[in-house]
Amino acid sequence: MKIAAVRGFRDILPEESAVWQRMETQARASFAAYGFSEIILPVIEKTELFARAIGETTDIVEKEMYTFTDRDESSLTLRPEGTASVIRAYIEHSLSHREPVSKLFYLGPMFRRERPQKGRYRQFHQIGAEILGRDDPLIDAELLLMLNDFFTALRLDVAIDVNSLGDAACRPRYRESLRAFGESKLAVLCENCHARLQRNPLRLLDCKEPGCRQAMADAPALTDFLCDPCRDHFTRVQAYLHQENVAFALNPRLVRGLDYYCRTSFEVIAQGLGSQNAVCGGGRYDGLVEQLGGPAVPGIGFAIGVERLVMLLQTQEHDLSPAPDLFIVPLGEAAESQAFSLARRLRQGGARVELESGSRGLKAQMRRAGKLGARYVLILGENELVAGKGTVRDMQSKSDRPMAIDLTLPAPAMIEAIRNVSSQPSADKD
RNA sequence: GUGGGUGUAGCUCAGCUGGCAGAGCACUGGGUUGUGGCCCCAGGGGUCGAGGGUUCAAAUCCCUUCACUCACCCCA
């Protein structure tokens, strides 16, 4: 009986992991430019951490977490997101005492037990970044700038949506106003929205049901309810973005699903991913550190969905695994044994070398070399063994122009000699 | 958790109202005793997702089940 991977969990095969690596490298580069350092976090935390950070009544905490009881009866959970852990670590190691501002990024697997679909898995990966310690608009803008730079560097065509969710001073008033408005439209709202009305009225704004959209079209706007400090903050964030020509759309219906968000909130939306089209989401969470037992330190951050981003990159280009510089073709057992050592020497000299089995025919091996896209082929047959010289061919040249290379040369000299094969001035009449 | 779609070769998929399990690509060997790509010939590969039922006969019809997938929900 075959054993398959667990539902919602999957393997990343080389074709995809190559794209993955490229994206990760770019993230590290972009984040470093803005002064972020990596924090490597555990995958398991106490359940209580997420319950308190994300919100007891969110879907994530209520029905999507992989929670289990450890042998000592404590309740542990596979992390469903990264921000809570960053803040736990921030408090635990008193980072606020060491420096006034911490810029941290992390990457790794997250776990949510949802029904899998395109762009949504039970184990998925996020790259996240957090800035703890500053709440001025410049910081919000800087974080968005960094995101913009990152997506631009990857040549991805995405749209950034921005909104302000207000804070503890103004949001409650808005929530009540929205609830009242929702009550008045009760008859036309869908069943889901009836539930939202009770649990989280803000979510009425982003229902996809056409009827609900229409009903909520002239609902009170959050922007009209912002208190003066929040309004001012948001205005200045936008001013910085304009100053740097960052394209973004103001989306007053943008609502985030985690309870801790306030003020500046944003999403990065991509085309061509189906319904799971948010590749990045984030926002400010000023009360969260305090709420988790730390000092009153403001914070803002985002998380990028790696799988979704990789899917995007794959539709735009396809990376191939690296082609070997040299493909060694041994003919027979004696040649194979020599080729084995030769391959190792050249690899240690820095060349990418592929080696076939000496039991296969010349034609088959040449075919394989062509398939892999090898630049040069070195043939090691009876003749070559006697002469102590390998026959080298440049696979990119159409004419058959083999060169004999001395097998006793040290690796660097041999690599040099092989490279020279293609620059030989011998009659080349392509 | 709720709906829809799909399960046949390594991959993409044909296979009608039941009648010998198929194609393309990939892989292997050959056409040229030692020179790839194009072309030609040949070959290996299958529990037709699983279990049960109907039938002389099931990939095909019926039931059950599992998996995958898309959407809702939610989110990255």
Side-chain angles (χ1 to χ4, degrees), chain A residues 80-149:
Chain A
E81 57 112 50
T83 301
S85 296
V86 172
I87 292 174
R88 193 224 77 233
Y90 179 81
I91 297 169
E92 188 167 341
H93 302 287
S94 304
L95 294 188
S96 63
H97 297 315
R98 299 193 199 177
E99 52 189 7
V101 181
S102 297
K103 293 179 170 180
L104 302 166
F105 78 90
Y106 60 86
L107 49 88
M110 307 293 162
F111 306 85
R112 294 182 199 173
R113 200 180 184 292
E114 302 178 89
R115 185 90 172 255
Q117 70 182 72
K118 187 182 175 75
R120 190 171 80 183
Y121 305 96
R122 290 182 171 181
Q123 175 179 333
F124 61 103
H125 295 73
Q126 287 187 337
I127 298 182
E130 319 282 350
I131 303 178
L132 285 309
R134 278 178 67 178
D135 62 359
D136 47 305
L138 183 144
I139 280 295
D140 300 42
E142 196 176 81
L143 194 72
L144 283 161
L145 230 57
M146 179 170 90
L147 263 181
N148 183 70
D149 287 0

Side-chain angles (χ1 to χ4, degrees), chain A residues 277-328:
Chain A
N277 60 354
V279 292
C280 172
R284 183 156 278 291
Y285 45 82
D286 288 345
L288 186 57
V289 178
E290 206 172 359
Q291 187 188 318
L292 291 177
V297 169
I300 183 171
F302 63 73
I304 293 168
V306 174
E307 279 80 358
R308 294 176 189 182
L309 208 50
V310 166
M311 273 195 280
L312 270 186
L313 288 167
Q314 281 179 316
T315 63
Q316 304 201 347
E317 58 185 298
H318 48 283
D319 280 10
L320 298 172
S321 51
D325 302 317
L326 180 71
F327 190 96
I328 302 182

